[in-house]
Amino acid sequence: MVKLTGNKKTRTVIFISGNGSNMKNLIKFSKMKNSPIVVDLVLSSNKKASGIKYLKKKKINFKIFNFKQKERDEKKILEILKKRKTQLICLAGFMKILSGDFVKKFNGKILNIHPSLLPKYKGLNTHKRVLINKENFSGCTVHIVNSKLDSGKIIMQKRVRVSKKDDPKSLSEKILKQEHLLYPKALKKLLSNH
Ligand code: GAR
């Protein structure tokens, strides 16, 4: 994994597909003095992602790739990342699955945040499945991306209590709040020299 050298911040690209609340949070975090990352670019798989409004307003570089021709798009993305000397990719609500080849080329340098306590509840509809199974706890996980879905090395997790009154919406809101705390913490853990 990329380590910080001297005072240099890790050049990071964020991948999104939707709301982008984790993206906004990471951008805010990157602007803090002690942040180990600088956000160089955001890539969205969805041209209608509401996170894009924020990027336009804040004049932050972004590009759109819909991944309909995955091989072609990934090749183009790799070229862009090489040009920009990208050191780290943060997936933040990115709902496409990157190919094994892409992951290999960025081996150990792609992070993801997932709204469950991995290895439990990989994949989609996590909150619904947690509620059906009457779990007392759920949470969120920041992990390194490998070629298997939601299976790479876990960097940090936060547990969240599931209440009997929770529905998928309330549970996702509770967990999202914790995601916004966890992702910056995990980045500090991974990238800081101290
Ligand atoms: C977050 O809960 C994130 O953990 C989840 O999508 C949501 C995106 O919210 N990601 C996944 O499920 C990835 N498989 P955001 O767009 O507001 O950051």
Side-chain angles (χ1 to χ4, degrees):
M1 171 44 68
V2 195
K3 287 276 172 196
L4 262 189
T5 48
N7 293 323
K8 285 224 176 109
K9 295 188 179 216
T10 301
R11 290 174 67 78
T12 302
V13 174
I14 302 175
F15 285 22
I16 64 165
S17 298
N19 257 338
S21 73
N22 275 293
M23 170 205 76
K24 281 182 213 163
N25 185 58
L26 288 181
I27 290 171
K28 282 185 191 151
F29 168 66
S30 74
K31 294 192 170 144
M32 286 163 66
K33 209 174 154 208
N34 294 330
S35 159
I37 62 161
V38 55
V39 177
D40 178 50
L41 175 74
V42 175
L43 202 145
S44 174
S45 67
N46 170 9
K47 65 176 186 211
K48 290 186 178 146
S50 59
I52 290 175
K53 276 188 216 132
Y54 176 85
L55 297 170
K56 282 186 179 159
K57 202 172 119 201
K58 297 281 176 188
K59 299 196 168 55
I60 293 167
N61 280 331
F62 68 90
K63 292 193 187 292
I64 294 163
F65 286 93
N66 61 19
F67 280 76
K68 279 192 181 136
Q69 283 179 272
K70 189 162 156 173
E71 215 181 307
R72 192 198 65 179
D73 281 359
E74 286 191 343
K75 200 169 159 236
K76 279 192 187 161
I77 293 166
L78 282 168
E79 280 165 15
I80 292 169
L81 300 185
K82 197 173 167 198
K83 248 193 217 155
R84 301 185 86 100
K85 299 191 173 30
T86 302
Q87 295 173 293
L88 182 72
I89 296 173
C90 287
L91 307 185
F94 182 67
M95 305 314 268
K96 301 283 177 187
I97 296 174
L98 295 167
S99 73
D101 259 10
F102 187 98
V103 172
K104 246 191 233 155
K105 293 209 169 94
F106 253 80
N107 196 17
K109 297 172 195 165
I110 309 176
L111 296 182
N112 181 38
I113 188 150
H114 184 76
S116 80
L117 291 174
L118 292 174
K120 287 177 120 181
Y121 303 102
K122 296 172 184 176
L124 296 175
N125 300 316
T126 52
H127 308 308
K128 197 174 161 192
R129 289 185 283 138
V130 161
L131 292 167
I132 288 170
N133 288 346
K134 299 196 178 353
E135 297 278 7
N136 291 319
F137 291 97
S138 187
C140 45
T141 304
V142 173
H143 67 95
I144 293 178
V145 172
N146 67 10
S147 56
K148 283 193 195 146
L149 183 68
D150 299 330
S151 298
K153 185 179 172 215
I154 291 172
I155 307 298
M156 274 186 133
Q157 291 188 301
K158 176 72 185 175
R159 210 160 72 136
V160 171
R161 185 178 281 282
V162 181
S163 117
K164 289 208 172 72
K165 290 180 201 151
D166 272 325
D167 57 22
K169 187 167 176 277
S170 67
L171 185 56
S172 94
E173 284 165 359
K174 264 203 277 193
I175 291 176
L176 203 53
K177 270 190 199 154
Q178 294 306 322
E179 291 183 35
H180 296 164
L181 299 174
L182 191 72
Y183 219 156
K185 263 195 202 165
L187 283 166
K188 276 192 180 164
K189 181 178 170 191
L190 201 68
L191 299 171
S192 294
N193 285 322
H194 328 283

